[in-house]
Amino acid sequence: EPEVTQTPSHQVTQMGQEVILRCVPISNHLYFYWYRQILGQKVEFLVSFYNNEISEKSEIFDDQFSVERPDGSNFTLKIRSTKLEDSAMYFCASTLNSPLHFGNGTRLTVT
Amino acid sequence: AQRVTQPEKLLSVFKGAPVELKCNYSYSGSPELFWYVQYSRQRLQLLLRHISRESIKGFTADLNKGETSFHLKKPFAQEEDSAMYYCALSEGTGGFKTIFGAGTRLFVKA
C-alpha cells in the first residue's frame, strides 16, 4: 500500500536558522497538508495546498513559513528563521478526496 | 468556528470491558466526522468515518447531530487497542482542512 514519506525523521537546528522539511505524498493524491503537534498538545492544521497553490492556512502559518511543490513528487515546508517555539512534530498528509493519509512525521528541535 | 472536544485525556480500562471515547463538535454545517488512531511508533491513521457506517476492529461511532457528538465505542476492549485516539472534523470531502481534538489515550490493562 502506498505511503506518505517524510524526511528527515528528526532535525535539530539552532534558533534563527532555516529548515526545510520534506514530504513525498502518495502519487495520485491531489490535496496536501502540513500539520504540527507540539509535545503534549493537539494536532494543529498549518496549511493546505492544491493545484500548486495554498488553499487555506491557519494563523500559525505566518510569513516565516512557506510551502512548495518543486516537482511532481515532493512537497516541502520551509521555516525561514526558526524560533524555540517551532519545536514540534510536523506531519505531512495527502488525500485524493478524503480521508487524510499521514506521514510518520519529522521531529523538529530548535535549540 | 469549528471545534472538536475530547474531554478525556486518558482512559484506562480492563481487557474485556466496554470502552467509550467521547467526542463533541461544534460546526454550523454538515461536517464529515472521523476517528484517527495512532498506535505506538506508528503513523496517525484513519480508524473510521461516519459516512461509512462500518465497524472497524470492533469499533463503531454514531453521529448524533442533535447532541453534536461522535463517540467511539467498543463492547470488549483488547490490549492491542491501547493507543492514542483522535476525533476529527472536516467541512466535507474535496480537500477541506481537517481539525483534530486533543486526543484520548486509551490504555487497556490485562
Short mmCIF file of all heavy atoms in Angstrom, two decimals, chain A residues 60-84:
data_model
loop_
_atom_site.label_atom_id
_atom_site.label_comp_id
_atom_site.label_asym_id
_atom_site.label_seq_id
_atom_site.Cartn_x
_atom_site.Cartn_y
_atom_site.Cartn_z
N ILE A 60 -1.22 30.16 12.56
CA ILE A 60 0.15 29.76 12.88
C ILE A 60 1.06 29.97 11.67
O ILE A 60 2.23 30.31 11.81
CB ILE A 60 0.20 28.27 13.29
CG1 ILE A 60 -0.76 27.99 14.45
CG2 ILE A 60 1.60 27.84 13.62
CD1 ILE A 60 -1.00 26.52 14.67
N PHE A 61 0.52 29.79 10.51
CA PHE A 61 1.30 29.81 9.26
C PHE A 61 1.56 31.26 8.86
O PHE A 61 0.88 31.81 7.99
CB PHE A 61 0.53 29.07 8.16
CG PHE A 61 1.37 28.72 6.95
CD1 PHE A 61 2.09 27.55 6.93
CD2 PHE A 61 1.42 29.57 5.86
CE1 PHE A 61 2.84 27.21 5.81
CE2 PHE A 61 2.17 29.25 4.74
CZ PHE A 61 2.88 28.07 4.71
N ASP A 62 2.53 31.87 9.55
CA ASP A 62 2.82 33.28 9.27
C ASP A 62 3.91 33.39 8.20
O ASP A 62 4.23 32.42 7.52
CB ASP A 62 3.22 34.00 10.56
CG ASP A 62 4.49 33.41 11.20
OD1 ASP A 62 5.27 32.76 10.49
OD2 ASP A 62 4.66 33.60 12.42
N ASP A 63 4.45 34.59 8.06
CA ASP A 63 5.41 34.85 6.98
C ASP A 63 6.70 34.05 7.10
O ASP A 63 7.48 34.00 6.15
CB ASP A 63 5.76 36.35 6.94
CG ASP A 63 4.59 37.19 6.50
OD1 ASP A 63 3.62 36.61 5.96
OD2 ASP A 63 4.62 38.41 6.71
N GLN A 64 6.94 33.45 8.25
CA GLN A 64 8.13 32.63 8.42
C GLN A 64 8.00 31.27 7.74
O GLN A 64 8.99 30.57 7.54
CB GLN A 64 8.42 32.41 9.91
CG GLN A 64 8.82 33.67 10.66
CD GLN A 64 10.09 34.27 10.08
OE1 GLN A 64 11.07 33.58 9.88
NE2 GLN A 64 10.07 35.57 9.83
N PHE A 65 6.77 30.91 7.41
CA PHE A 65 6.51 29.60 6.82
C PHE A 65 6.24 29.74 5.33
O PHE A 65 5.64 30.72 4.87
CB PHE A 65 5.29 28.95 7.47
CG PHE A 65 5.47 28.52 8.90
CD1 PHE A 65 5.25 29.41 9.93
CD2 PHE A 65 5.87 27.23 9.20
CE1 PHE A 65 5.41 29.02 11.25
CE2 PHE A 65 6.04 26.83 10.52
CZ PHE A 65 5.79 27.72 11.55
N SER A 66 6.65 28.74 4.58
CA SER A 66 6.27 28.67 3.17
C SER A 66 6.21 27.21 2.76
O SER A 66 6.84 26.35 3.39
CB SER A 66 7.24 29.45 2.28
OG SER A 66 8.54 28.89 2.36
N VAL A 67 5.43 26.94 1.73
CA VAL A 67 5.34 25.58 1.20
C VAL A 67 5.60 25.64 -0.29
O VAL A 67 5.36 26.66 -0.96
CB VAL A 67 3.99 24.90 1.48
CG1 VAL A 67 3.84 24.56 2.94
CG2 VAL A 67 2.83 25.77 0.99
N GLU A 68 6.04 24.50 -0.79
CA GLU A 68 6.38 24.43 -2.20
C GLU A 68 6.22 23.01 -2.68
O GLU A 68 6.43 22.06 -1.93
CB GLU A 68 7.85 24.87 -2.39
CG GLU A 68 8.21 25.28 -3.78
CD GLU A 68 9.64 25.80 -3.85
OE1 GLU A 68 10.51 25.28 -3.15
OE2 GLU A 68 9.87 26.73 -4.64
N ARG A 69 5.82 22.89 -3.94
CA ARG A 69 5.83 21.58 -4.58
C ARG A 69 6.75 21.74 -5.80
O ARG A 69 6.29 22.04 -6.89
CB ARG A 69 4.41 21.19 -4.97
CG ARG A 69 4.28 19.77 -5.47
CD ARG A 69 2.86 19.28 -5.26
NE ARG A 69 2.53 18.13 -6.09
CZ ARG A 69 2.87 16.88 -5.81
NH1 ARG A 69 3.56 16.62 -4.73
NH2 ARG A 69 2.51 15.90 -6.60
N PRO A 70 8.04 21.57 -5.57
CA PRO A 70 9.03 21.93 -6.60
C PRO A 70 9.01 21.04 -7.83
O PRO A 70 9.43 21.45 -8.89
CB PRO A 70 10.37 21.81 -5.85
CG PRO A 70 10.10 20.88 -4.72
CD PRO A 70 8.67 21.09 -4.33
N ASP A 71 8.51 19.83 -7.66
CA ASP A 71 8.42 18.92 -8.80
C ASP A 71 7.15 18.11 -8.63
O ASP A 71 6.32 18.42 -7.80
CB ASP A 71 9.67 18.04 -8.88
CG ASP A 71 9.96 17.36 -7.55
OD1 ASP A 71 9.01 16.85 -6.92
OD2 ASP A 71 11.13 17.33 -7.14
N GLY A 72 7.01 17.05 -9.40
CA GLY A 72 5.76 16.30 -9.34
C GLY A 72 5.61 15.40 -8.14
O GLY A 72 4.55 14.81 -7.95
N SER A 73 6.67 15.33 -7.28
CA SER A 73 6.57 14.36 -6.20
C SER A 73 6.78 14.95 -4.81
O SER A 73 6.16 14.51 -3.86
CB SER A 73 7.55 13.20 -6.42
OG SER A 73 8.87 13.70 -6.49
N ASN A 74 7.63 15.96 -4.67
CA ASN A 74 7.94 16.46 -3.35
C ASN A 74 7.02 17.60 -2.93
O ASN A 74 6.50 18.35 -3.75
CB ASN A 74 9.39 16.97 -3.31
CG ASN A 74 10.38 15.84 -3.43
OD1 ASN A 74 10.61 15.11 -2.49
ND2 ASN A 74 10.96 15.69 -4.62
N PHE A 75 6.85 17.72 -1.61
CA PHE A 75 6.06 18.80 -1.02
C PHE A 75 6.82 19.24 0.22
O PHE A 75 7.05 18.44 1.13
CB PHE A 75 4.67 18.27 -0.66
CG PHE A 75 3.75 19.27 -0.02
CD1 PHE A 75 3.54 20.52 -0.59
CD2 PHE A 75 3.05 18.97 1.14
CE1 PHE A 75 2.69 21.44 -0.02
CE2 PHE A 75 2.19 19.87 1.72
CZ PHE A 75 2.01 21.11 1.15
N THR A 76 7.30 20.49 0.24
CA THR A 76 8.19 20.91 1.30
C THR A 76 7.57 22.02 2.15
O THR A 76 6.76 22.82 1.68
CB THR A 76 9.52 21.43 0.73
OG1 THR A 76 9.27 22.56 -0.10
CG2 THR A 76 10.23 20.35 -0.06
N LEU A 77 8.00 22.03 3.41
CA LEU A 77 7.65 23.10 4.34
C LEU A 77 8.95 23.77 4.75
O LEU A 77 9.86 23.10 5.24
CB LEU A 77 6.94 22.54 5.57
CG LEU A 77 6.64 23.54 6.70
CD1 LEU A 77 5.58 24.55 6.27
CD2 LEU A 77 6.17 22.81 7.96
N LYS A 78 9.04 25.08 4.55
CA LYS A 78 10.23 25.82 4.92
C LYS A 78 9.88 26.76 6.07
O LYS A 78 8.85 27.45 6.03
CB LYS A 78 10.77 26.63 3.74
CG LYS A 78 12.05 27.40 4.07
CD LYS A 78 12.40 28.43 3.01
CE LYS A 78 12.83 27.84 1.73
NZ LYS A 78 13.30 28.87 0.76
N ILE A 79 10.75 26.75 7.07
CA ILE A 79 10.65 27.75 8.14
C ILE A 79 11.89 28.62 8.01
O ILE A 79 13.02 28.12 8.13
CB ILE A 79 10.58 27.10 9.53
CG1 ILE A 79 9.49 26.03 9.57
CG2 ILE A 79 10.29 28.17 10.59
CD1 ILE A 79 9.42 25.25 10.89
N ARG A 80 11.70 29.90 7.74
CA ARG A 80 12.82 30.78 7.38
C ARG A 80 13.77 31.05 8.53
O ARG A 80 14.98 30.96 8.40
CB ARG A 80 12.30 32.11 6.84
CG ARG A 80 12.17 32.14 5.35
CD ARG A 80 11.67 33.50 4.90
NE ARG A 80 10.23 33.51 4.73
CZ ARG A 80 9.60 32.93 3.70
NH1 ARG A 80 10.27 32.32 2.78
NH2 ARG A 80 8.29 32.99 3.60
N SER A 81 13.26 31.37 9.67
CA SER A 81 14.09 31.72 10.81
C SER A 81 13.45 31.08 12.04
O SER A 81 12.50 31.62 12.61
CB SER A 81 14.16 33.25 10.97
OG SER A 81 14.91 33.60 12.10
N THR A 82 13.96 29.91 12.40
CA THR A 82 13.29 29.12 13.42
C THR A 82 13.35 29.78 14.79
O THR A 82 14.33 30.45 15.15
CB THR A 82 13.90 27.72 13.51
OG1 THR A 82 15.33 27.84 13.62
CG2 THR A 82 13.54 26.89 12.30
N LYS A 83 12.29 29.56 15.55
CA LYS A 83 12.20 30.03 16.93
C LYS A 83 12.09 28.80 17.84
O LYS A 83 11.73 27.71 17.39
CB LYS A 83 10.97 30.93 17.11
CG LYS A 83 10.94 32.13 16.18
CD LYS A 83 9.81 33.06 16.54
CE LYS A 83 8.49 32.61 15.98
NZ LYS A 83 8.37 32.90 14.54
N LEU A 84 12.37 29.01 19.11
CA LEU A 84 12.28 27.90 20.05
C LEU A 84 10.90 27.25 20.03
O LEU A 84 10.77 26.02 20.10
CB LEU A 84 12.60 28.37 21.47
CG LEU A 84 14.03 28.83 21.74
CD1 LEU A 84 14.17 29.37 23.17
CD2 LEU A 84 15.03 27.72 21.51
#
